[in-house]
Amino acid sequence: GDSVTQTEGLVTVTEGLPVMLNCTYQTAYSDVAFFWYVQYLNEAPKLLLRSSTDNKRTEHQGFHATLHKSSSSFHLQKSSVQLSDSALYYCAQGNYKPTFGKGTSLVVHP
Amino acid sequence: GGIITQTPKFLIGQEGQKLTLKCQQNFNHDTMYWYRQDSGKGLRLIYYSITENDLQKGDLSEGYDASREKKSSFSLTVTSAQKNEMAVFLCASRATGDDTQYFGPGTRLLVL
């Protein structure tokens, strides 16, 4: 079956430095969208980024990700993190029966 | 815009009790979902419904029932609460066209 893998459970970064959160996937579908959702403490998850186009960079709130179908990856990156970026990040495949990764908790410290 | 409402916000139950969680959305979305969120385990799909009166099992459906009586509402029942169970249940609906999911604020369950 389909799966989404986020290898890091916890990432700790100093404010102002870059970060990359990993996401790889397995899917039987050739035309499906991939997502990054962000969940701040005591809030609901909400959309951060979405992409269904191979090799096209998608950006929002300073974060960016590029869907690479050749390597089955959709890594999330930011060049300079802020304290307010501390949150739980989920990578997901957006089929009618969606698949989520286990989530990566990003902690940004001064 | 729209909103997803989940009731109750907090639910405390006893072992063996049947507990019902409710979800309402005013996006007019066709597809709705129930997830269970446990620390370190991500979002696990319990049930989903593609349209009114449709029900599909997710990966974690054992121990749960669901009901989609109308387009705007989707209920989840814990058929027999397990002692010391603690989790957050999230309801979501899916936008037609771009597949984005919109989540409710969650119901926090604690079983004593």
Side-chain angles (χ1 to χ4, degrees), chain A residues 50-87:
Chain A
R50 175 194 183 276
S51 180
S52 59
T53 305
D54 197 12
N55 297 318
K56 182 181 177 181
R57 176 172 162 141
T58 302
E59 299 191 38
H60 187 59
Q61 294 183 355
F63 286 91
H64 63 91
T66 303
L67 180 61
H68 290 296
K69 293 186 180 182
S70 61
S71 59
S72 300
S73 67
F74 190 50
H75 305 317
L76 182 68
Q77 299 182 69
K78 190 172 187 182
S79 58
S80 177
V81 294
Q82 302 173 334
L83 294 174
S84 58
D85 293 326
S86 294

Short mmCIF file of all heavy atoms in Angstrom, two decimals, chain A residues 50-87:
data_model
loop_
_atom_site.label_atom_id
_atom_site.label_comp_id
_atom_site.label_asym_id
_atom_site.label_seq_id
_atom_site.Cartn_x
_atom_site.Cartn_y
_atom_site.Cartn_z
N ARG A 50 1.34 22.68 -1.02
CA ARG A 50 0.73 21.61 -1.81
C ARG A 50 1.40 21.57 -3.17
O ARG A 50 1.71 22.62 -3.75
CB ARG A 50 -0.75 21.86 -2.01
CG ARG A 50 -1.43 20.83 -2.93
CD ARG A 50 -2.80 21.30 -3.37
NE ARG A 50 -3.47 20.30 -4.19
CZ ARG A 50 -3.29 20.14 -5.49
NH1 ARG A 50 -2.47 20.95 -6.14
NH2 ARG A 50 -3.95 19.20 -6.15
N SER A 51 1.63 20.36 -3.69
CA SER A 51 2.17 20.25 -5.04
C SER A 51 1.76 18.94 -5.68
O SER A 51 1.68 17.91 -5.01
CB SER A 51 3.69 20.32 -5.03
OG SER A 51 4.20 20.21 -6.35
N SER A 52 1.49 19.01 -6.97
CA SER A 52 1.24 17.80 -7.76
C SER A 52 2.07 17.81 -9.03
O SER A 52 1.94 16.90 -9.86
CB SER A 52 -0.25 17.67 -8.11
OG SER A 52 -0.67 18.80 -8.84
N THR A 53 2.92 18.81 -9.19
CA THR A 53 3.70 18.98 -10.41
C THR A 53 5.15 18.58 -10.17
O THR A 53 5.81 19.12 -9.27
CB THR A 53 3.65 20.43 -10.89
OG1 THR A 53 2.29 20.82 -11.05
CG2 THR A 53 4.38 20.59 -12.21
N ASP A 54 5.62 17.67 -10.95
CA ASP A 54 7.00 17.17 -10.82
C ASP A 54 7.99 18.29 -11.07
O ASP A 54 7.85 19.08 -12.01
CB ASP A 54 7.22 16.03 -11.82
CG ASP A 54 8.43 15.19 -11.50
OD1 ASP A 54 8.98 15.32 -10.39
OD2 ASP A 54 8.83 14.39 -12.37
N ASN A 55 9.00 18.39 -10.20
CA ASN A 55 10.13 19.30 -10.33
C ASN A 55 9.76 20.78 -10.29
O ASN A 55 10.55 21.62 -10.73
CB ASN A 55 10.90 19.01 -11.63
CG ASN A 55 11.51 17.63 -11.63
OD1 ASN A 55 12.06 17.19 -10.62
ND2 ASN A 55 11.38 16.92 -12.74
N LYS A 56 8.61 21.11 -9.76
CA LYS A 56 8.21 22.51 -9.62
C LYS A 56 8.28 22.93 -8.16
O LYS A 56 7.70 22.29 -7.29
CB LYS A 56 6.79 22.73 -10.15
CG LYS A 56 6.34 24.18 -10.05
CD LYS A 56 4.93 24.36 -10.56
CE LYS A 56 4.48 25.80 -10.40
NZ LYS A 56 3.10 26.02 -10.86
N ARG A 57 9.00 24.02 -7.88
CA ARG A 57 9.16 24.52 -6.52
C ARG A 57 7.89 25.26 -6.09
O ARG A 57 7.37 26.09 -6.82
CB ARG A 57 10.38 25.44 -6.47
CG ARG A 57 10.61 26.13 -5.14
CD ARG A 57 11.94 26.84 -5.18
NE ARG A 57 12.07 27.84 -4.15
CZ ARG A 57 13.21 28.06 -3.47
NH1 ARG A 57 14.29 27.33 -3.73
NH2 ARG A 57 13.28 29.00 -2.55
N THR A 58 7.44 24.93 -4.88
CA THR A 58 6.26 25.57 -4.30
C THR A 58 6.69 26.28 -3.03
O THR A 58 7.46 25.73 -2.24
CB THR A 58 5.19 24.50 -3.96
OG1 THR A 58 4.85 23.78 -5.14
CG2 THR A 58 3.94 25.15 -3.40
N GLU A 59 6.21 27.53 -2.83
CA GLU A 59 6.64 28.31 -1.68
C GLU A 59 5.46 28.89 -0.92
O GLU A 59 4.43 29.25 -1.51
CB GLU A 59 7.54 29.47 -2.13
CG GLU A 59 8.81 29.05 -2.82
CD GLU A 59 9.79 30.19 -3.01
OE1 GLU A 59 9.90 31.04 -2.11
OE2 GLU A 59 10.44 30.22 -4.06
N HIS A 60 5.64 29.00 0.40
CA HIS A 60 4.63 29.66 1.22
C HIS A 60 5.23 29.95 2.58
O HIS A 60 5.89 29.08 3.17
CB HIS A 60 3.38 28.79 1.37
CG HIS A 60 2.23 29.45 2.07
ND1 HIS A 60 1.66 30.61 1.62
CD2 HIS A 60 1.58 29.13 3.21
CE1 HIS A 60 0.69 30.97 2.43
NE2 HIS A 60 0.61 30.08 3.41
N GLN A 61 5.03 31.13 3.09
CA GLN A 61 5.50 31.55 4.42
C GLN A 61 7.00 31.32 4.59
O GLN A 61 7.46 31.01 5.69
CB GLN A 61 4.74 30.79 5.52
CG GLN A 61 3.26 31.14 5.58
CD GLN A 61 2.53 30.43 6.71
OE1 GLN A 61 3.10 29.60 7.41
NE2 GLN A 61 1.26 30.75 6.88
N GLY A 62 7.75 31.48 3.52
CA GLY A 62 9.19 31.32 3.60
C GLY A 62 9.66 29.88 3.46
O GLY A 62 10.86 29.63 3.30
N PHE A 63 8.75 28.93 3.53
CA PHE A 63 9.09 27.53 3.31
C PHE A 63 8.95 27.20 1.82
O PHE A 63 8.16 27.80 1.11
CB PHE A 63 8.15 26.61 4.10
CG PHE A 63 8.43 26.58 5.58
CD1 PHE A 63 7.78 27.46 6.43
CD2 PHE A 63 9.32 25.66 6.11
CE1 PHE A 63 8.03 27.44 7.80
CE2 PHE A 63 9.57 25.62 7.48
CZ PHE A 63 8.92 26.52 8.32
N HIS A 64 9.73 26.22 1.37
CA HIS A 64 9.58 25.74 0.01
C HIS A 64 9.80 24.25 -0.07
O HIS A 64 10.48 23.65 0.79
CB HIS A 64 10.50 26.49 -0.96
CG HIS A 64 11.97 26.30 -0.70
ND1 HIS A 64 12.71 25.30 -1.29
CD2 HIS A 64 12.82 26.99 0.10
CE1 HIS A 64 13.96 25.39 -0.88
NE2 HIS A 64 14.05 26.39 -0.04
N ALA A 65 9.20 23.65 -1.09
CA ALA A 65 9.36 22.21 -1.32
C ALA A 65 9.21 21.96 -2.82
O ALA A 65 8.50 22.69 -3.51
CB ALA A 65 8.31 21.41 -0.55
N THR A 66 9.90 20.93 -3.29
CA THR A 66 9.83 20.53 -4.69
C THR A 66 9.51 19.06 -4.75
O THR A 66 10.20 18.24 -4.11
CB THR A 66 11.15 20.81 -5.42
OG1 THR A 66 11.47 22.21 -5.30
CG2 THR A 66 11.03 20.44 -6.90
N LEU A 67 8.46 18.72 -5.48
CA LEU A 67 8.11 17.32 -5.66
C LEU A 67 9.04 16.69 -6.69
O LEU A 67 9.14 17.17 -7.83
CB LEU A 67 6.65 17.20 -6.13
CG LEU A 67 6.11 15.80 -6.36
CD1 LEU A 67 6.13 14.98 -5.07
CD2 LEU A 67 4.69 15.87 -6.93
N HIS A 68 9.75 15.65 -6.29
CA HIS A 68 10.64 14.93 -7.20
C HIS A 68 10.14 13.50 -7.33
O HIS A 68 10.38 12.66 -6.47
CB HIS A 68 12.08 14.92 -6.67
CG HIS A 68 12.74 16.25 -6.71
ND1 HIS A 68 12.99 16.93 -7.88
CD2 HIS A 68 13.19 17.05 -5.71
CE1 HIS A 68 13.59 18.07 -7.61
NE2 HIS A 68 13.72 18.19 -6.29
N LYS A 69 9.44 13.24 -8.43
CA LYS A 69 8.87 11.90 -8.61
C LYS A 69 9.96 10.86 -8.87
O LYS A 69 9.80 9.69 -8.54
CB LYS A 69 7.85 11.93 -9.75
CG LYS A 69 6.60 12.75 -9.41
CD LYS A 69 5.55 12.65 -10.50
CE LYS A 69 4.32 13.48 -10.11
NZ LYS A 69 3.24 13.38 -11.13
N SER A 70 11.09 11.29 -9.44
CA SER A 70 12.16 10.34 -9.73
C SER A 70 12.75 9.74 -8.46
O SER A 70 13.20 8.59 -8.45
CB SER A 70 13.26 11.04 -10.54
OG SER A 70 13.80 12.12 -9.79
N SER A 71 12.74 10.52 -7.39
CA SER A 71 13.27 10.04 -6.12
C SER A 71 12.18 9.87 -5.07
O SER A 71 12.47 9.58 -3.90
CB SER A 71 14.34 11.01 -5.59
OG SER A 71 13.79 12.31 -5.41
N SER A 72 10.93 10.06 -5.48
CA SER A 72 9.77 9.92 -4.56
C SER A 72 9.97 10.75 -3.30
O SER A 72 9.84 10.24 -2.17
CB SER A 72 9.56 8.43 -4.19
OG SER A 72 9.30 7.66 -5.33
N SER A 73 10.30 12.02 -3.49
CA SER A 73 10.57 12.87 -2.33
C SER A 73 9.83 14.20 -2.43
O SER A 73 9.51 14.68 -3.52
CB SER A 73 12.07 13.12 -2.20
OG SER A 73 12.54 13.89 -3.28
N PHE A 74 9.60 14.79 -1.25
CA PHE A 74 8.93 16.09 -1.17
C PHE A 74 9.43 16.76 0.11
O PHE A 74 8.69 17.01 1.04
CB PHE A 74 7.41 15.91 -1.15
CG PHE A 74 6.62 17.17 -1.30
CD1 PHE A 74 6.88 18.07 -2.32
CD2 PHE A 74 5.57 17.47 -0.43
CE1 PHE A 74 6.14 19.24 -2.47
CE2 PHE A 74 4.82 18.63 -0.56
CZ PHE A 74 5.10 19.50 -1.58
N HIS A 75 10.73 17.07 0.15
CA HIS A 75 11.35 17.62 1.35
C HIS A 75 10.95 19.08 1.55
O HIS A 75 10.83 19.85 0.59
CB HIS A 75 12.87 17.53 1.25
CG HIS A 75 13.38 16.14 0.98
ND1 HIS A 75 12.88 15.03 1.62
CD2 HIS A 75 14.35 15.71 0.13
CE1 HIS A 75 13.52 13.95 1.20
NE2 HIS A 75 14.41 14.34 0.28
N LEU A 76 10.83 19.48 2.80
CA LEU A 76 10.45 20.85 3.17
C LEU A 76 11.70 21.61 3.61
O LEU A 76 12.47 21.09 4.45
CB LEU A 76 9.42 20.83 4.29
CG LEU A 76 8.89 22.18 4.76
CD1 LEU A 76 8.05 22.85 3.67
CD2 LEU A 76 8.07 22.02 6.04
N GLN A 77 11.89 22.82 3.11
CA GLN A 77 13.09 23.58 3.45
C GLN A 77 12.75 25.03 3.78
O GLN A 77 11.75 25.57 3.30
CB GLN A 77 14.08 23.56 2.27
CG GLN A 77 14.56 22.18 1.89
CD GLN A 77 15.56 22.23 0.76
OE1 GLN A 77 16.68 22.70 0.92
NE2 GLN A 77 15.18 21.72 -0.40
N LYS A 78 13.61 25.59 4.61
CA LYS A 78 13.54 27.02 4.88
C LYS A 78 14.95 27.53 5.07
O LYS A 78 15.75 26.85 5.75
CB LYS A 78 12.67 27.34 6.09
CG LYS A 78 12.37 28.84 6.25
CD LYS A 78 11.36 29.12 7.34
CE LYS A 78 10.97 30.60 7.32
NZ LYS A 78 10.02 30.97 8.38
N SER A 79 15.28 28.66 4.53
CA SER A 79 16.67 29.14 4.56
C SER A 79 17.04 29.80 5.88
O SER A 79 18.21 29.80 6.27
CB SER A 79 16.90 30.14 3.41
OG SER A 79 16.00 31.22 3.53
N SER A 80 16.04 30.32 6.59
CA SER A 80 16.33 30.99 7.85
C SER A 80 15.11 30.85 8.77
O SER A 80 14.11 31.55 8.60
CB SER A 80 16.64 32.47 7.60
OG SER A 80 16.84 33.15 8.82
N VAL A 81 15.21 29.95 9.74
CA VAL A 81 14.04 29.67 10.58
C VAL A 81 13.85 30.74 11.65
O VAL A 81 14.80 31.38 12.09
CB VAL A 81 14.13 28.28 11.24
CG1 VAL A 81 14.06 27.18 10.19
CG2 VAL A 81 15.37 28.16 12.10
N GLN A 82 12.58 30.87 12.07
CA GLN A 82 12.24 31.80 13.13
C GLN A 82 11.69 31.03 14.32
O GLN A 82 11.24 29.88 14.17
CB GLN A 82 11.17 32.78 12.60
CG GLN A 82 11.61 33.56 11.39
CD GLN A 82 10.47 34.39 10.80
OE1 GLN A 82 9.31 34.06 10.96
NE2 GLN A 82 10.83 35.46 10.13
N LEU A 83 11.70 31.66 15.47
CA LEU A 83 11.16 31.01 16.67
C LEU A 83 9.71 30.57 16.45
O LEU A 83 9.29 29.52 16.94
CB LEU A 83 11.24 31.97 17.86
CG LEU A 83 12.64 32.35 18.35
CD1 LEU A 83 12.56 33.40 19.44
CD2 LEU A 83 13.41 31.13 18.84
N SER A 84 8.96 31.36 15.70
CA SER A 84 7.55 31.07 15.47
C SER A 84 7.33 29.87 14.54
O SER A 84 6.19 29.44 14.36
CB SER A 84 6.86 32.30 14.88
OG SER A 84 7.49 32.69 13.67
N ASP A 85 8.39 29.34 13.96
CA ASP A 85 8.27 28.15 13.11
C ASP A 85 8.21 26.87 13.92
O ASP A 85 7.97 25.78 13.36
CB ASP A 85 9.43 28.07 12.12
CG ASP A 85 9.42 29.18 11.09
OD1 ASP A 85 8.31 29.60 10.70
OD2 ASP A 85 10.51 29.63 10.69
N SER A 86 8.44 26.96 15.21
CA SER A 86 8.37 25.77 16.06
C SER A 86 6.96 25.19 16.01
O SER A 86 5.97 25.87 16.33
CB SER A 86 8.72 26.14 17.50
OG SER A 86 10.06 26.54 17.61
N ALA A 87 6.87 23.95 15.57
CA ALA A 87 5.56 23.31 15.35
C ALA A 87 5.78 21.86 14.94
O ALA A 87 6.91 21.40 14.79
CB ALA A 87 4.78 24.04 14.25
#
